[in-house]
Amino acid sequence: MDTHTDGPHTGSHAHDLRHHGDAEVRDEKLVDLAVNVRTATPPDWLRERIAHSLTSLAAYPDGRSARAAVAERHDLPPGRVLLTSGAAEAFVLLARALPVRRPVVVHPQFTEPEAALRDAGHEVGRVLLREEDGFRLDPAAVPEDADLVVIGNPTNPTSVLHPAETIAALARPGRYLVVDEAFMDAVPGEREALAGRTDVPGLVVLRSLTKTWGLAGLRIGYVLAEPETVALLERAQPLWPVSTPALVAAEACMTRAALAEAEHAAHRIGTERAHLLAGLAEFDEVRTVEAAEGPFVLIRIEGADAVRERLRLLGFAARRGDTFPGLDRHWLRLAVRDRATTNRFLQALDQALLLGG
């Protein structure tokens, strides 16, 4: 593992922290393996709930019912819940509202937390996890003086699921421990989740409803944290930050039926991910991060940037890896799709590798 610190304007040029997977498919008709939103979503029942909410748009949004539903789902009091306009808003609130001086982000991971911290004027330290260690966390690699630590679980883009107790070992008095669990509901049983824990000091858990339920355009997520932290973040929010349709969606996704559907989807993703990994294992040129537990896999191919361009010509969009600190142009992230789509992709990958000689 490597640890280093970049100032608010130095070092960030090496990686485009604002690049996201949707840029890979925007304005082009490609099979989308670049964005981790589950296909065929939102489901019809959720669309209907959202559509019905449009009759209430004349009233200002009232988040109390949705907040209570999220709290009940995680067996927490409502004072430990903050609803946000997607997890992205939560990263901005954390960067602007928390009184921190030495933030550290564990990479490779989703780049928005670091981008938000930099935009707020913070100098950001990086802990870089290495391929040879399986991109797994060693808590000792995080500087003791870090007063805010950000890590994803399962981590985007590596798909590694860190043990909950390994992450909890990062907690310290006077430190905020921010865990991005945006993809945790894609893990069967949500094992290793810290959401709902109240015994870890300074814990801040972020959740998103975007990926599992296909709500990227609606923007809905939430924060679980100590009431004092929630109050700090809430004061930094604008009035009515979450729309009525988004609040209705949040409440609907907390029901027992919805949670059962998400669990079923998580098991199906696991099956489809195993099929994808088995297919990738047939290529001598491809190395995969075998510990994948999320709805995506990370692969290394020599010259992956060129392979990615050839895949685009063959109709497939893959997420470039070089925008993630700790990775370079030889990495690609692939979303897990159904078996038929995966088989067509594997055929295209074979062609793309042959075209490269």
Side-chain angles (χ1 to χ4, degrees):
M1 298 190 189
D2 183 30
T3 306
H4 69 274
T5 303
D6 292 326
H9 302 293
T10 62
S12 60
H13 66 280
H15 297 88
D16 180 2
L17 301 180
R18 293 296 190 188
H19 182 85
H20 299 299
D22 61 310
E24 310 281 354
V25 292
R26 194 178 296 143
D27 302 325
E28 294 195 48
K29 293 182 179 179
L30 299 172
V31 178
D32 179 12
L33 302 183
V35 178
N36 294 321
V37 174
R38 185 163 62 100
T39 55
T41 53
D44 289 342
W45 62 265
L46 184 53
R47 292 176 190 268
E48 292 170 6
R49 289 285 297 271
I50 293 169
H52 182 70
S53 74
L54 301 181
T55 62
S56 304
L57 293 186
Y60 285 96
D62 183 349
R64 289 176 295 177
S65 183
R67 191 174 193 171
V70 172
E72 182 178 0
R73 181 254 197 273
H74 292 288
D75 196 24
L76 294 170
R80 281 183 169 265
V81 175
L82 181 67
L83 302 173
T84 59
S85 180
E89 187 204 7
F91 292 127
V92 172
L93 295 175
L94 291 165
R96 295 180 179 178
L98 298 186
V100 299
R101 299 173 61 86
R102 180 78 163 86
V104 168
V105 179
V106 179
H107 286 290
Q109 79 146 21
F110 184 49
T111 54
E112 200 60 37
E114 179 170 328
L117 287 162
R118 289 180 178 279
D119 288 346
H122 293 284
E123 293 189 5
V124 182
R126 291 177 178 173
V127 172
L128 303 180
L129 308 185
R130 301 182 303 175
E131 180 190 8
E132 51 265 43
D133 299 324
F135 292 110
R136 296 196 173 278
L137 172 69
D138 175 4
V142 176
E144 278 296 324
D145 63 347
D147 55 4
L148 182 146
V149 178
V150 185
I151 186 169
N153 203 35
T155 302
N156 170 20
T158 65
S159 204
V160 170
L161 182 67
H162 305 286
E165 293 312 313
T166 300
I167 294 180
L170 293 173
R172 300 283 190 279
R175 171 186 287 178
Y176 294 100
L177 174 57
V178 178
V179 186
D180 177 6
E181 292 189 350
F183 295 101
M184 187 60 78
D185 58 359
V187 176
E190 295 195 0
R191 67 185 191 283
E192 312 305 344
L194 287 168
R197 293 273 296 268
T198 59
D199 60 324
V200 181
L203 178 64
V204 180
V205 174
L206 276 57
R207 286 289 183 105
S208 170
L209 302 179
T210 294
K211 281 70 179 179
T212 290
W213 297 110
L215 299 175
L218 197 60
R219 312 307 307 140
I220 178 64
Y222 54 89
V223 177
L224 306 174
E226 295 168 348
E228 298 79 10
T229 302
V230 167
L232 279 175
L233 301 178
E234 192 167 20
R235 282 197 292 271
Q237 277 186 312
L239 292 173
W240 311 291
V242 182
S243 70
T244 295
L247 293 170
V248 167
E251 187 171 357
C253 292
M254 297 300 116
T255 65
R256 289 185 179 180
L259 295 176
E261 182 175 328
E263 178 70 7
H264 178 75
H267 283 279
R268 187 170 65 250
I269 288 167
T271 299
E272 301 295 1
R273 183 181 59 243
H275 179 69
L276 172 59
L277 289 170
L280 292 169
E282 296 297 318
F283 295 93
D284 292 336
E285 304 93 330
V286 178
R287 285 210 310 267
T288 61
V289 178
E290 292 292 340
E293 297 279 0
F296 47 90
V297 300
L298 183 65
I299 67 172
R300 191 185 191 283
I301 307 173
E302 193 70 23
D305 51 348
V307 173
R308 173 177 157 271
E309 291 304 319
R310 291 195 288 272
L311 284 170
R312 294 182 69 82
L313 295 174
L314 294 167
F316 288 85
R319 172 64 160 88
R320 58 190 283 199
D322 62 336
T323 65
F324 294 100
L327 301 182
D328 57 26
R329 67 185 186 87
H330 302 298
W331 293 90
L332 295 175
R333 191 193 69 197
L334 306 172
V336 173
R337 298 296 187 228
D338 63 273
R339 184 161 300 211
T341 301
T342 293
N343 288 342
R344 287 189 289 118
F345 166 74
L346 292 170
Q347 291 174 347
L349 178 60
D350 189 37
Q351 285 184 264
L353 292 170
L354 288 173
L355 288 171

